[in-house]
Structures are given as structure tokens and as C-alpha cells.
Amino acid sequence: MTSILVVGSVAYDTVETPFGRAERVLGGSASFFSLAASFFVPVNLVAVVGTDFAQEHVDRLAAHNIDMEGLQRADGLSFFWEGRYSFDLNARETVRTDLNVFQSFRPRIPEKYRHSSHVFLGNIDPVLQQEVLDQVERPRLVALDTMNFWIEGRLDELKKALRRVDVLLINDAEARQLSGEWNIVKAARAIRALGPRTLVLKKGEHGVLMFGEDGSFSAPAYPLEQVFDPTGAGDTFAGGFLGYLASVQAQAGAADRGYDDEALRRAVVMGSTLASFCVEAFSLDRLLALTRAEIDERFRLFKRLTQFESI
Ligand code: AMP
């Protein structure tokens, strides 16, 4: 059955933007990813939280087609992250990261998740990302997210993980760092040679650039009049991207169908659509109130935004 297994952080965030401050609100890469993906297919979540984590937050995610059996509870406090944005919302300062129970996290994949058709390895230690892959039965598609911390500190393990991955989602600075190439086209070629068939480069308010077997594709970020809080936009993009792709593959049937260039392009725009909603409010607030009709309407506006005739 089509479903996405996601492993990542479930957290409390404190976020300050020029427009306000939110204290200890629900966050984490797996939370944003799951909620976005859940509009398309069922999601199986694996993460760890501490004894301070409110049942109300578990219930809120569970109400959205997200299976929470894989949420481990450990003695101690939940992962906590604090960030601050200036008026340039692309520049973020991390004020504080408390790993807490995340520090000794070992992902345990419940039996019923092992046949998930799609896997999203959120930004965690590449050793743990490989442990997750060791516990699942031949998924149809594996996507991975990482960051400079792991590229600097765990490069060999990250490269091992990448050999087992179909789609890598990172930002442009991380792509340069991972490949050692300044030019982004050369960087993409070098990274794809490490394993991933498809590389998706996230560039914040400048949109997304995808490199694949059929060349490259670019999508802008949706021009919003009010960007309130960019936290989680990258993870929300990944959830919309993979969720949509999984739903297309579910309909396509046969092994490699639904992974063609047209489906990938629509997945990029769907990811960008979901991310554009995420940034309209703090935490998961906008995604929790979102409807499929609103998603489809903005997807339509996206097409209009980028369409032009030949000369
Ligand atoms: P994004 O804005 O897409 O990079 O995601 C922000 C989310 O990632 C926040 O909700 C944080 O709780 C979470 N986060 C921040 N730093 C880390 C980290 N080192 N590991 C895992 N999750 C993190």
C-alpha cells in the first residue's frame, strides 16, 4: 500500500520574526513534512519526544492521516530549537538548539511501517539514516535531506547513505559544500554521481532548481504579500513534493511509472505550493487549517505565474 515513512525531528520551537514571537510551539522537520505529505497519502511517523510533549500535539497530527505509533517517548525534554529572523527573511539566526532526547535517538521502525512504499530520511545523523533503510523492505523511492553539520562532520557516512537514495533535497550552499564545486551545474553533476537520480536544490524565496535524468527544471517561490514565518518551509516543500509523487505513483501501478519528468515537475510545484502556505503563519498553524481546494487553487495560480508563449 502506498504510504510514506518519515524519520526526523518533532520539536518545540521558539521563533522570532519582525512580525511577532511564538514561544514553544509545535515544530520539527518531521512535523512539517508529515502534515504537508498527509494531503496526498497516509504518513508513518518515526521520531522521539520527551515527557514534556503534550498529548494534544500528538492528537493534532494523528487527526491528519499521520500514524503516530512510531513516536517514541523518552525520559527528558523534547528537542528544542530557537530561531530569529531579521527583515531579510532568508537570513536566519539559530539562537539555541537543545538536542535533549534527540541526542540518544535510535529510530525503531514499527513492523507495520516496514513496507512503506516511500521513505523520507529527514535531517538526522547519516548513520541513523542508514539504520532506517536497513529496517525497511525495498521501498519504491527514498528521499533524503541533510545539512552542513553532517556534510562537515560525517561525510563518509553521508556518501554511503546517498548511494541508497533516489532524491536528495538540499539548499544551494550545501550542494556547493558537498561537491566542492562552486558552479551549481557542475555541483549537481558531481552529486548525482554519488547516487541520487534527482537533486532538488532549495533556494528559499528564490525558489527551487531540480536536476534529473531529463535535464533541469526551475520553479519560483510563490510571490506572497505577507511572509510571516519561514520556519519549516523546506520540510513542507519536501512533504508536498514526495506526497504528491507518491500519490501519482500509487495510480501509475508498474514499478518505475510515475517517476517521469512531467510528474517530477508537478511535484516541485506542489512542494512550492505547500511551502507558500506554511510561511503565512507561525508553526503548523496554516497547514493545520489548510484544505485541498485551497492547495489546488494555488497550484493553478502557480501554473499561470510561470506560463508564457513561444516567440
Ligand atoms: P526548516 O525551516 O525547513 O529548516 O525547518 C525548521 C525546523 O527544523 C524547526 O521546526 C526545528 O525544530 C527543526 N530543526 C532545527 N534544527 C534542527 C536540527 N539540527 N535537527 C533536526 N531538526 C532541526
Side-chain angles (χ1 to χ4, degrees):
M1 224 254 305
T2 300
S3 59
I4 302 183
L5 167 66
V6 50
V7 184
S9 57
V10 169
Y12 282 132
D13 292 346
T14 289
V15 179
E16 197 176 311
T17 77
F19 317 108
R21 184 177 164 88
E23 299 265 358
R24 290 185 64 77
V25 288
L26 180 58
S29 61
S31 313
F32 285 104
F33 177 94
S34 300
L35 205 46
S38 72
F39 284 96
F40 306 97
V41 290
V43 176
N44 300 322
L45 182 140
V46 171
V48 63
V49 292
T51 46
D52 58 336
F53 198 73
Q55 184 61 34
E56 171 207 344
H57 290 141
V58 178
D59 296 343
R60 217 176 272 174
L61 293 171
H64 275 259
N65 215 11
I66 301 168
D67 191 305
M68 302 297 286
E69 191 188 305
L71 185 70
Q72 302 166 24
R73 287 213 179 244
D75 276 339
L77 295 173
S78 303
F79 180 84
F80 174 78
W81 177 79
E82 182 171 347
R84 190 185 296 144
Y85 298 83
S86 62
F87 273 102
D88 172 7
L89 290 169
N90 279 323
R92 164 163 93 191
E93 181 197 346
T94 290
V95 178
R96 198 166 145 185
T97 303
D98 295 341
L99 292 175
N100 297 332
V101 294
F102 208 55
Q103 196 153 20
S104 45
F105 175 49
R106 300 296 293 267
R108 272 192 317 275
I109 313 299
E111 188 58 39
K112 69 175 190 186
Y113 289 6
R114 294 183 184 217
H115 295 276
S116 301
S117 57
H118 293 66
V119 177
F120 180 69
L121 302 168
N123 174 22
I124 56 174
D125 188 331
V127 173
L128 300 185
Q129 291 177 322
Q130 292 175 74
E131 282 183 20
V132 171
L133 292 181
D134 292 340
Q135 296 176 63
V136 295
E137 301 280 337
R138 299 199 303 125
R140 201 161 160 172
L141 193 103
V142 178
L144 182 146
D145 184 12
T146 190
M147 67 187 286
N148 52 1
F149 183 75
W150 305 119
I151 298 172
E152 281 155 28
R154 281 268 207 276
L155 188 58
D156 287 345
E157 292 298 334
L158 179 60
K159 283 184 174 169
K160 272 197 236 166
L162 286 176
R163 279 188 224 131
R164 305 166 71 181
V165 160
D166 301 285
V167 182
L168 174 65
L169 301 117
I170 47 178
N171 69 36
D172 44 353
E174 290 157 355
R176 291 192 170 103
Q177 194 179 14
L178 176 59
S179 63
E181 291 280 1
W182 190 87
N183 177 284
I184 217 71
V185 179
K186 286 184 182 153
R189 188 180 308 128
I191 290 170
R192 290 184 57 238
L194 296 174
R197 284 191 275 174
T198 305
L199 171 67
V200 179
L201 292 185
K202 300 173 284 182
K203 299 186 296 166
E205 71 167 338
H206 303 298
V208 173
L209 198 51
M210 174 172 67
F211 295 89
E213 279 151 7
D214 294 300
S216 49
F217 174 67
S218 165
Y222 190 78
L224 290 167
E225 200 167 315
Q226 166 93 282
V227 176
F228 197 78
D229 171 18
T231 305
D235 306 304
T236 304
F237 170 89
F241 174 88
L242 204 61
Y244 174 75
L245 209 53
S247 72
V248 170
Q249 292 192 327
Q251 287 159 18
D256 216 33
R257 300 271 300 281
Y259 196 79
D260 54 78
D261 196 44
E262 290 307 320
L264 285 165
R265 285 171 181 238
R266 288 196 305 272
V268 165
V269 176
M270 195 54 97
S272 306
T273 301
L274 269 294
S276 77
F277 285 112
C278 168
V279 303
E280 287 180 347
F282 276 129
S283 181
L284 299 161
D285 292 356
R286 184 65 182 98
L287 295 177
L288 283 166
L290 191 59
T291 65
R292 183 61 204 248
E294 287 175 309
I295 294 172
D296 292 345
E297 171 61 10
R298 191 165 289 178
F299 187 92
R300 201 182 59 75
L301 293 175
F302 237 113
K303 181 158 169 36
R304 182 81 197 113
L305 174 71
T306 52
Q307 213 169 22
F308 51 90
E309 289 184 358
S310 314
I311 50 170

